[in-house]
């Protein structure tokens, strides 16, 4: 995996411990870019530290078993076990105390024990999904026709437009991962997309979720997909 000015080819290329940025409903996937607007003081500090070091941050959702954005005072917020580590590949200051960041995904990771970094933000020991470092996934097994049909049905049902020339030119891997990251689905659906074992399964999961949402909100899915 080549990200920015760095290559990540094996476990030794990644740190054993990374800072964690917990955000509900936010998905980062390997090879994809995630824009972030940073303003909370502890996370400004986290990104300062990352920029002066290895530029790596892990994006992780808060635990799906809790419906609270923050833990109660004195309690530590539970996190999902699987997230994605990314490298800061773009950085700008806004002049009003915020950072505008672009984070490029490297590989998915599993969180192990939390470590005391003596900071306001949290850090964890991690185990990387090494298969994500082995280069582009085989996208030949993706059912592109079904994926585009579900995407078009969702746009039509919600009276939205898309740049179809760009969509048609996109590779299967770009199409699947971009749609997964941009989709307006809930935290559980985003986590399911993240944890899909391969691109084909992620595409199938994306289609299934889209069809469920369409059926729930608009009725007969077969009619909508025609």
């Amino acid at each position: 995996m080549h990200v920015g000015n760095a290559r990540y080819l094996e476990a030794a290329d990644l740190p054993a411990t990374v800072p964690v940025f917990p955000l509900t409903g936010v998905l980062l996937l390997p090879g994809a870019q995630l824009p972030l607007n940073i303003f909370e003081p502890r996370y400004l500090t986290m990104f300062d530290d990352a920029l002066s070091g290895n530029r790596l941050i892990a994006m992780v959702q808060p635990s799906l078993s809790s419906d609270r954005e923050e833990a109660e005072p004195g309690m530590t917020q539970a996190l999902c076990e699987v997230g994605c580590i990314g490298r800061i590949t773009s950085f700008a200051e806004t002049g009003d105390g915020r950072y505008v960041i672009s984070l490029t995904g490297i590989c998915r990771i599993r969180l192990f024990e939390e470590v005391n970094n003596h900071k306001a933000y949290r850090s964890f020991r991690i185990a990387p999904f090494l298969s994500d470092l082995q280069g582009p996934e085989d996208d030949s097994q993706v059912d592109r026709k079904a994926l585009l049909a579900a995407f078009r049905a969702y746009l039509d049902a919600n009276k939205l437009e898309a740049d179809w020339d760009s969509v048609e030119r996109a590779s299967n891997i770009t199409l699947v991962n971009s749609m997964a990251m941009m989709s307006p689905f809930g935290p559980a659906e985003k986590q399911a997309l993240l944890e899909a074992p391969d691109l084909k399964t992620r595409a199938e999961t994306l289609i299934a979720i889209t069809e469920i949402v369409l059926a729930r909100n608009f009725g007969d899915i077969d009619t909508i997909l025609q």
Side-chain angles (χ1 to χ4, degrees), residues 11-187:
D13 296 328
L14 296 169
T17 301
V18 294
V20 167
F21 190 9
L23 275 181
T24 299
V26 174
L27 175 61
L28 176 65
L29 291 168
Q33 291 192 332
L34 176 68
L36 293 169
N37 183 13
I38 313 301
F39 55 87
E40 192 173 343
R42 57 179 165 170
Y43 296 126
L44 291 171
T45 299
M46 181 178 71
F47 277 88
D48 280 338
D49 291 347
L51 284 166
S52 65
N54 57 25
R55 300 195 176 193
L56 301 180
I57 297 289
M59 299 299 302
V60 180
Q61 288 202 100
S63 173
L64 303 178
S65 63
S66 172
D67 60 1
R68 296 169 296 182
E69 283 291 312
E70 297 291 341
E72 296 293 339
M75 296 177 62
T76 301
Q77 184 182 33
L79 303 176
C80 289
E81 291 185 357
V82 176
C84 184
I85 191 170
R87 179 180 172 89
I88 300 170
T89 49
S90 177
F91 164 79
E93 295 179 296
T94 62
D96 61 359
R98 295 178 293 117
Y99 292 162
V100 177
I101 301 289
S102 181
L103 202 62
T104 302
I106 297 171
C107 72
R108 292 168 295 168
I109 51 99
R110 188 174 300 277
L111 299 185
F112 286 130
E113 71 267 24
E114 186 168 2
V115 299
N116 185 359
N117 61 9
H118 305 288
K119 301 282 187 175
Y121 59 85
R122 301 168 70 185
S123 294
F124 283 77
R125 296 192 188 281
I126 62 165
F129 287 45
L130 296 180
S131 60
D132 291 345
L133 303 178
Q134 304 307 309
E137 291 185 74
D138 177 13
D139 64 359
S140 63
Q141 300 302 309
V142 171
D143 188 342
R144 186 182 181 95
K145 182 178 179 180
L147 184 65
L148 290 177
F151 182 45
R152 186 184 294 276
Y154 184 88
L155 293 177
D156 290 346
N158 289 278
K159 296 181 172 57
L160 299 173
E161 299 290 337
D163 181 353
W164 284 104
D165 287 338
S166 297
V167 171
E168 292 293 344
R169 290 195 301 269
S171 66
N172 284 346
I173 188 169
T174 297
L175 192 63
V176 172
N177 288 344
S178 297
M179 289 174 60
M181 289 179 59
M182 293 186 297
S183 61
F185 301 139

